[in-house]
């Protein structure tokens, strides 16, 4: 059976969304310098990251800042911006891809750091670059059901370790052109944190109501991108093409449930210039209505979409229709509408 999953929310609003910026700027020129000998030996022209992917730089956290530190920084900012007392938050979801260990959950460290209540449910929810959108949907479902009053969704990502490992590996004299292209996507990653507080719309008329959305799975592509903190291999071309195909199928079927043809703002998961250009063309999205953050931030995984939303928010007006869209390796796609 083929088709979209469709959902609508009735009483949930976004009360705040915040970004935590990693402080260390790492340029693509620096990556080119590190890999200069390898590029010359295998016949690859330097500058692909900036000229083709469109990523001039990305951010790194200092070595003593953990992924949960990044998530906590964003979470604290979102709580402060929302005006909600931390003791009222009944759900914490950490949607980070990056994690230092398998046990315990990353959420427990964030819960402790933020001093949340013992009655606050807390757990991790991972789904590649769509984890944060899934966290929003789950939180909104629980708020609509009356199980909780407020939810906090957080994400903290760091590209330093995988990129340092990849640069060292690709600097080997044994590296081939195939090795470089298989690991090229790792060099497009970035670091950052993002968080969102959600609450009851009827109690917060100043909030931004979550209307609903769609999702679609095409998991035959689950092996196109596989990675951990030390090594990630990606069939970049196949992943791009498959992701665009699934996104277009999702978009076309969504027309029967939502009219997303002329939104006031589109907030897309950020990957690269090639990805953004082709995605907007396939979906008929006006690129002038989408803020692009990947040129200076890279692909921050699931933090990318809420991070971009946080940067877009100051330009939005009450009543604006905002569509958040993303594609996660695996492959899953999602679109979620917010009335600002």
């Amino acid at each position: 059976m083929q088709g979209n999953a469709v959902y609508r929310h009735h009483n949930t609003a976004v009360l705040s969304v915040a970004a935590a910026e990693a402080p260390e700027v790492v340029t693509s020129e620096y990556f080119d310098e590190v890999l200069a000998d390898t590029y010359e030996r295998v016949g690859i022209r330097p500058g692909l990251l900036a000229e083709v992917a469109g990523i001039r730089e990305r951010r790194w956290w200092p070595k003593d800042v953990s992924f949960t530190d990044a998530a906590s920084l964003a979470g604290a900012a979102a709580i402060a911006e929302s005006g909600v007392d931390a003791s009222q938050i009944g759900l914490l979801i950490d949607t980070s891809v990056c994690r230092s260990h398998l046990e315990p959950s990353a959420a427990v460290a964030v819960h402790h750091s933020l001093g949340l209540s013992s009655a606050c449910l807390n757990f991790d929810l991972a789904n590649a670059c769509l984890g944060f959108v899934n966290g929003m949907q789950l939180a909104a479902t629980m708020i609509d059901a009356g199980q909780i009053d407020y939810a906090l969704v957080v994400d903290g990502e760091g590209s330093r370790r995988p990129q340092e490992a990849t640069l060292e590996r690709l600097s080997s004299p044994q590296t081939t052109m195939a090795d470089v292209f298989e690991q090229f996507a790792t060099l497009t990653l970035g670091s950052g944190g993002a968080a969102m507080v959600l609450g009851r719309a009827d109690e917060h008329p100043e909030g931004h109501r979550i209307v609903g959305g769609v999702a679609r799975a095409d998991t035959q592509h689950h092996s196109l991108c596989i990675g951990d903190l030390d090594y990630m291999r990606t069939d970049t071309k196949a992943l791009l093409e498959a992701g665009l195909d699934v996104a277009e199928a999702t978009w076309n079927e969504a027309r029967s449930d939502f009219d997303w043809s002329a939104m006031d703002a589109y907030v897309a998961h950020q990957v690269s210039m090639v990805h953004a250009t082709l995605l907007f063309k396939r979906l008929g999205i006006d690129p002038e209505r989408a803020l692009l953050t990947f040129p200076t931030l890279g692909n921050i995984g699931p933090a990318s979409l809420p991070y971009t939303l946080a940067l877009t928010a100051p330009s939005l007006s009450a009543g604006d229709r905002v569509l958040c869209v993303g594609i996660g390796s695996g492959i899953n796609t999602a679109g979620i509408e917010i009335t600002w």
Side-chain angles (χ1 to χ4, degrees):
M1 180 178 177
Q2 299 297 314
N4 293 346
V6 181
Y7 58 92
R8 292 185 181 273
H9 294 295
H10 307 288
N11 194 30
T12 299
V14 175
L15 306 186
S16 66
V17 57
E21 181 178 309
E24 298 184 15
V25 176
V26 183
T27 66
S28 291
E29 287 184 354
Y30 166 70
F31 283 6
D32 287 344
E33 291 171 4
V34 173
L35 297 175
D37 290 344
T38 296
Y39 284 169
E40 182 177 5
R41 183 172 53 78
V42 303
I44 293 177
R45 176 175 58 84
L48 293 180
L49 283 165
E51 297 169 16
V52 178
I55 298 172
R56 301 189 302 272
E57 57 192 41
R58 74 283 296 140
R59 303 293 190 269
W60 281 357
W61 295 105
K63 289 185 178 181
D64 61 348
V65 176
S66 69
F67 307 129
T68 54
D69 288 339
S72 298
L73 284 169
I79 293 172
E81 182 182 326
S82 72
V84 173
D85 191 284
S87 65
Q88 296 178 279
I89 296 173
L91 172 68
L92 165 69
I93 305 176
D94 188 316
T95 65
S96 308
V97 166
C98 293
R99 60 193 63 244
S100 301
H101 45 253
L102 295 177
E103 288 289 341
S105 70
V108 296
V110 178
H111 182 281
H112 175 72
S113 176
L114 297 177
L116 301 182
S117 163
S118 63
C120 176
L121 298 170
N122 60 95
F123 51 82
D124 296 348
L125 187 163
N127 190 18
C129 293
L130 281 187
F132 200 98
V133 175
N134 296 145
M136 291 171 61
Q137 181 189 357
L138 178 57
T141 298
M142 293 181 67
I143 291 171
D144 282 355
Q147 296 180 15
I148 56 172
D149 294 323
Y150 299 98
L152 173 65
V153 184
V154 302
D155 195 281
E157 307 295 342
S159 63
R160 182 179 202 130
R161 177 174 161 182
Q163 287 176 334
E164 287 182 333
T166 299
L167 290 171
E168 180 178 359
R169 188 164 46 247
L170 294 181
S171 297
S172 166
Q174 284 74 47
T175 295
T176 65
M177 180 184 291
D179 293 331
V180 174
F181 285 122
E182 182 183 67
Q183 299 172 58
F184 185 80
T186 308
L187 302 180
T188 69
L189 301 178
S191 307
M196 178 181 289
V197 174
L198 303 96
R200 298 187 187 283
D202 58 6
E203 296 182 4
H204 291 275
E206 78 286 0
H208 317 297
R209 185 181 290 269
I210 296 182
V211 177
V214 301
R216 190 183 189 100
D218 194 356
T219 54
Q220 64 176 308
H221 304 294
H222 66 273
S223 63
L224 294 180
C225 179
I226 298 176
D228 55 32
L229 289 179
D230 294 308
Y231 179 83
M232 183 175 80
R233 63 167 178 80
T234 307
D235 186 334
T236 305
K237 184 175 185 294
L239 184 63
L240 173 67
E241 293 175 349
L244 292 172
D245 287 345
V246 182
E248 186 174 13
T250 307
W251 182 268
N252 289 338
E253 186 170 319
R255 290 195 179 106
S256 61
D257 298 287
F258 299 95
D259 179 9
W260 289 336
S261 59
M263 307 295 283
D264 295 292
Y266 295 93
V267 179
H269 168 63
Q270 309 273 316
V271 176
S272 68
M273 180 60 74
V274 174
H275 178 271
T277 300
L278 293 176
L279 178 65
F280 295 161
K281 183 177 181 180
R282 286 276 198 111
L283 304 188
I285 290 176
D286 180 358
E288 295 298 319
R289 299 187 184 187
L291 175 66
L292 298 181
T293 56
F294 65 80
T296 57
L297 297 173
N299 176 1
I300 325 175
S304 175
L305 192 153
Y307 199 115
T308 305
L309 179 59
L311 296 184
T312 302
S315 67
L316 299 175
S317 301
D320 281 353
R321 296 178 66 205
V322 180
L323 180 64
C324 299
V325 293
I327 306 170
S329 59
I331 290 174
N332 288 292
T333 61
I336 185 167
E337 179 179 344
I338 303 171
T339 300
W340 212 257

